[in-house]
């Protein structure tokens, strides 16, 4: 029997600061892939598995804040290790595309470049947690934090979580500016993998831009579209 190679499933991540609209674009991309009958899953970090979601709740409610950024980097990595082992790797192996709302670049940006955690610790944790499963492509959605900030605040006002928010969203504007620069620096140093797109634009237009990049990067999508 001929050994026909399975179609390559792709691993796509979305990164960026708070309120840039990652989740919307992740959902829209999944719809596009489903329309082409490309099996795919949507996930997020921290989270994606029951254990990693438990770590998410622990960190985002602020319960690990007093531990310091280094220990938090370890917690994010523990959640990621479980996420990769239990969900990401098996999904890719079974041919499903994986779209994740945040992944390892968030640890580099938040805990590393903005939080001041030693790059050697970040790199070591990353090697352990990823176990070779780096994303094929990463979209860095970029926006002036002042605009993103206003969007997040407007959203929170409408939300039942208005009094608490999540703790990273409560940092001040200057911190968010440094975070934005951190993501841009990561993209610059990983230019093959990362694509920076302006997020302060109409979501339909951004969705199309993302799709155009994917069509160029993964020509097999074009043949699926024509199939
Ligand atoms: P989000 O789902 O709203 O993006 O919230 C996740 C928060 O956790 C966000 O503020 C970024 C932060 N975070 C880190 O600090 N480090 C990480 O490694 C990840 C994945 C998220």
């Amino acid at each position: 029997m001929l050994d026909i190679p399975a179609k390559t499933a792709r691993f796509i991540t979305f990164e960026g600061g708070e309120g840039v609209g990652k989740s919307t674009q992740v959902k829209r991309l999944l719809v596009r892939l489903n329309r082409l009958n490309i099996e795919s899953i949507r996930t997020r970090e921290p989270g994606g598995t029951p254990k990693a979601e438990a770590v998410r709740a622990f960190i985002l409610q602020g319960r690990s804040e007093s531990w310091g950024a280094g220990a938090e980097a370890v917690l994010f990595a523990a959640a990621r290790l479980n996420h990769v082992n239990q969900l990401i790797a098996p999904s890719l192996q079974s041919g499903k595309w994986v779209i994740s709302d945040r992944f390892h670049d968030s640890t580099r940006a938040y805990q590393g470049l903005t939080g001041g955690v030693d790059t050697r610790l970040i790199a070591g944790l990353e090697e352990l947690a990823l176990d070779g499963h780096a994303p094929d492509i990463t979209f860095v959605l970029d926006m002036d934090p002042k605009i993103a900030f206003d969007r997040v605040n407007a959203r929170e006002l409408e939300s039942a979580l208005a009094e608490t928010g999540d703790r990273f969203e409560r940092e001040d504007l200057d911190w968010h500016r440094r975070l934005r620069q951190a993501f841009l620096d990561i993209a610059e140093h990983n230019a093959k993998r990362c694509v920076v797109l302006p997020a302060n634009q109409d979501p339909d237009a951004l969705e199309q831009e993302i799709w155009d990049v994917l069509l160029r990067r993964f020509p097999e999508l074009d043949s699926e579209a024509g199939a």
Side-chain angles (χ1 to χ4, degrees):
M1 217 169 78
L2 274 176
D3 189 18
I4 301 168
K7 282 188 189 163
T8 314
R10 305 292 183 178
F11 180 23
I12 302 170
T13 56
F14 283 75
E15 298 278 6
E18 312 287 332
V20 297
K22 290 177 286 90
S23 312
T24 305
Q25 294 301 327
V26 167
K27 285 183 203 146
R28 285 171 173 231
L29 176 55
L30 205 82
V31 170
R32 288 222 185 214
L33 291 170
N34 284 341
R35 241 187 259 145
L36 296 183
N37 291 323
I38 293 174
E39 267 199 286
S40 30
I41 61 154
R42 171 162 72 92
T43 186
R44 68 173 181 181
E45 286 219 341
T49 62
K51 287 189 172 65
E53 289 289 333
V55 176
R56 177 188 181 93
F58 182 76
I59 298 174
L60 296 190
Q61 287 162 11
R63 285 191 276 164
S64 60
E65 208 163 355
S66 63
W67 294 25
E72 284 192 322
V74 176
L75 288 173
F76 280 112
R80 183 162 304 129
L81 181 63
N82 186 263
H83 189 206
V84 169
N85 283 340
Q86 301 296 313
L87 185 70
I88 295 175
S91 300
L92 291 169
Q93 271 147 25
S94 71
K96 293 191 187 109
W97 289 45
V98 175
I99 323 297
S100 187
D101 186 341
R102 297 196 183 283
F103 194 58
H104 69 313
D105 292 317
S106 282
T107 305
R108 292 179 178 186
Y110 281 79
Q111 283 67 50
L113 295 170
T114 315
V117 177
D118 193 311
T119 47
R120 285 169 306 177
L121 176 61
I122 301 283
L125 290 170
E126 196 174 295
E127 201 181 327
L128 177 79
L130 266 61
D131 194 21
H133 294 90
D136 294 299
I137 187 166
T138 298
F139 290 102
V140 176
L141 303 191
D142 178 59
M143 189 191 278
D144 177 350
K146 178 77 183 74
I147 298 168
F149 222 51
D150 292 343
R151 282 178 24 163
V152 169
N153 286 338
R155 202 174 65 205
E156 274 189 9
L157 281 176
E158 292 161 15
S159 139
L161 290 171
E163 317 89 71
T164 54
D166 98 34
R167 38 168 292 232
F168 292 102
E169 289 184 354
R170 283 186 269 112
E171 299 285 354
D172 67 20
L173 195 55
D174 183 54
W175 186 89
H176 283 273
R177 292 206 168 101
R178 284 189 284 127
L179 181 68
R180 178 193 198 183
Q181 193 53 50
F183 277 114
L184 292 175
D185 289 347
I186 290 168
E188 197 184 326
H189 286 104
N190 298 270
K192 270 200 183 141
R193 173 174 61 85
C194 295
V195 179
V196 180
L197 294 175
N200 187 25
Q201 60 170 316
D202 173 51
D204 290 344
L206 180 55
E207 178 188 339
Q208 189 59 48
E209 250 193 87
I210 290 167
W211 191 247
D212 290 342
V213 170
L214 290 175
L215 285 178
R216 282 197 298 276
R217 190 67 67 94
F218 307 130
E220 70 263 29
L221 281 176
D222 224 4
S223 52
E224 292 288 340

